[in-house]
Amino acid sequence: MAIESVNDLWDTLMGAQPDPPGLLVLVTAVIGLVVASFRPLWRVARNAVTIAHEGGHALAALLTGRKLRGIRLEFDTSGLTLSAGRPTGPGMMFTLLGGYIAPSLVGLGGAWLLGGNRITLLLWLVVVLLLLMLINIRNVFGVVSLVVTGAIVLGVSWYATPQVQAAFAYAGVWFLLFGGVRPVFELQKLRSRGRMPESDADQLAGVTRIPALFWVGVFLVVDLAALVVGGFMLAGQWLPTISAT
């Protein structure tokens, strides 16, 4: 990427890239689904979902006036976001709610940007969000995880060809849309075995006096809706190619 002035940078970020081949959209959808479904791949890639999950908690805490104390990302792909404020009320409720829906909503936002062919803008926004999150990381693995992830995204956006950027962006967005749904089923499976008594859903139940299963259902409905809407946005890049042949 050759950038000679601020105007060049602005034009690069805000400009639309060419329409991706329809086959690329389809292939990256399959890749995203396979990575989110196949356990060995999921165990590695799930870290991206955890980053979005904890980022969702952090953003919701800040937007509702809570004080963010720090974020931890663990090697086992678990995470923890600490904030200070009232232990009850809307602020705490939205902070707890933000985690399990964040990966899918990030994927939905990415699908919207890709629908407008803003591939470079999407990649750079991801880098900026990772840098903002890095400021609040409180453990070594979390720092390494965000730095490596950010370096990969930045490297692709700066050095890769437009075709590689498109493939990377579409695969990542598809993965977030599919991968945002799976943790909800994992959550309920662990809850049914009594292994997550302090889950987000159970904490929401304590804050709102509404059963935890209701909140699991809210997570699932939001994530499935994001998958459907985001999927249609991305498929819109593929379907015209099919109808034209």
Side-chain angles (χ1 to χ4, degrees), residues 39-120:
R39 182 178 293 274
L41 296 176
W42 170 249
R43 291 178 64 182
V44 176
R46 194 185 196 281
N47 190 58
V49 174
T50 302
I51 291 173
H53 179 113
E54 299 306 327
H57 282 313
L59 179 60
L62 292 173
L63 290 177
T64 56
R66 296 180 63 81
K67 185 177 179 61
L68 187 61
R69 294 295 191 187
I71 304 169
R72 295 180 62 90
L73 301 172
E74 305 295 349
F75 184 75
D76 63 357
T77 72
S78 64
L80 177 66
T81 299
L82 297 174
S83 63
R86 289 183 56 194
T88 58
M92 190 64 188
M93 184 189 75
F94 284 112
T95 298
L96 291 168
L97 186 61
Y100 277 96
I101 64 175
S104 295
L105 293 182
V106 171
L108 180 60
W112 178 73
L113 287 172
L114 291 180
N117 290 338
R118 296 313 199 267
I119 297 171
T120 302

Side-chain angles (χ1 to χ4, degrees), residues 20-29 31 162-164 166-168 170-171 174 238:
L23 183 60
L24 181 146
V25 181
L26 178 61
V27 170
T28 53
I31 291 172
Q163 293 78 11
V164 172
F168 181 83
Y170 272 85
W174 276 117
W238 172 54

